[in-house]
Amino acid sequence: MTHTVVSVGRTARFKEIVELMRQWRVSALPVVEGEGRVVGVVSEADLLPKEEFRDDNPDIVPLLRRLPDLAKASAVTADELMSTPAVTVHADATLPQAARIMALRKVKRLPVTDRIGILQGVISRSDLLKVFLRPDVEIAAEVNRTVIAPLFPNQAVRASVQEGVVIFSGPMRDRSLVPVAARLARAVEGVVDVRMDLTAPAAPPR
């Protein structure tokens, strides 16, 4: 996550919010109160009704289905504009959990809070993608340590990594462990895909 994060209070005015978004190049701002407890989020989507409903004679029928947006068109403070309760993620959440929340709630940025809701930072889609810049050698070391070692002790199975793709190779005695190994490897940060290049153990000499 990004620890340096700009936020606003409930009384922040419309133009102040727009200016902060422009200055910090962000699409949403957490709204906090007290010691930094997150109470909502103001996003570009919350601000756009101001422009959308500028027309003096809008069609009343569609408006009846969008009363919340119509209310935001006349809002002037963060308290009136914000979406609440805020969609947040705890600081100890995993990257897949954060990505899942973003996808399900269709948000680009998530305030990161501690257990009592105090703002700790913000995680964005670009932050989530940074994990795929992890060096191949580092990924391979973790897969061999956390997947290969416990699942295939005293076997010649090894994992190599090319462009984020984990490749399991070598003779594997128990093929039923293949799905388990693949699932565990995919859980390692930075893994793009998992492939199997396994062989059957050599037959014992007669």
Side-chain angles (χ1 to χ4, degrees):
M1 68 178 173
T2 301
H3 291 275
T4 302
V5 54
V6 60
S7 60
V8 295
R10 288 180 180 270
T11 60
R13 309 289 288 183
F14 189 97
K15 291 189 70 172
E16 176 188 355
I17 294 168
V18 174
E19 175 57 28
L20 283 172
M21 285 184 178
R22 184 198 66 79
Q23 179 181 345
W24 287 83
R25 299 180 181 179
V26 295
S27 58
L29 296 173
V31 182
V32 300
E33 67 178 6
E35 297 298 318
R37 186 171 63 88
V38 179
V39 293
V41 172
V42 177
S43 69
E44 292 171 335
D46 296 315
L47 302 176
L48 284 176
K50 180 78 71 179
E51 181 65 25
E52 180 184 356
F53 295 111
R54 187 182 296 276
D55 189 349
D56 290 333
N57 297 298
D59 187 343
I60 192 63
V61 175
L63 285 184
L64 293 176
R65 295 194 295 267
R66 298 185 58 196
L67 291 179
D69 287 340
L70 184 60
K72 289 185 179 183
S74 59
V76 295
T77 67
D79 189 50
E80 298 166 330
L81 288 160
M82 68 182 179
S83 298
T84 186
V87 180
T88 63
V89 65
H90 287 149
D92 58 357
T94 65
L95 291 181
Q97 287 171 335
R100 193 172 300 115
I101 292 172
M102 282 188 181
L104 291 175
R105 302 302 293 271
K106 298 180 180 179
V107 295
K108 298 177 182 179
R109 294 166 61 84
L110 279 176
V112 181
T113 67
D114 63 15
R115 286 297 178 181
I116 61 173
I118 303 300
L119 183 64
Q120 303 294 302
V122 169
I123 189 166
S124 66
R125 291 175 177 176
S126 61
D127 291 326
L128 293 177
L129 292 175
K130 287 178 184 176
V131 70
F132 294 108
L133 299 177
R134 190 179 185 192
D136 287 345
V137 64
E138 189 175 306
I139 298 172
E142 182 173 346
V143 172
N144 279 293
R145 183 180 70 255
T146 64
V147 181
I148 299 294
L151 285 183
F152 311 109
N154 304 316
Q155 296 185 50
V157 178
R158 291 292 179 268
S160 59
V161 180
Q162 298 178 7
E163 297 295 321
V165 177
V166 176
I167 304 169
F168 286 88
S169 60
M172 181 182 292
R173 292 196 294 266
D174 187 355
R175 290 303 182 101
S176 68
L177 292 176
V178 168
V180 179
R183 184 173 67 253
L184 292 175
R186 286 193 174 92
V188 172
E189 292 185 356
V191 171
V192 175
D193 197 8
V194 176
R195 296 177 184 172
M196 298 293 174
D197 186 18
L198 301 166
T199 59
R206 295 181 179 180

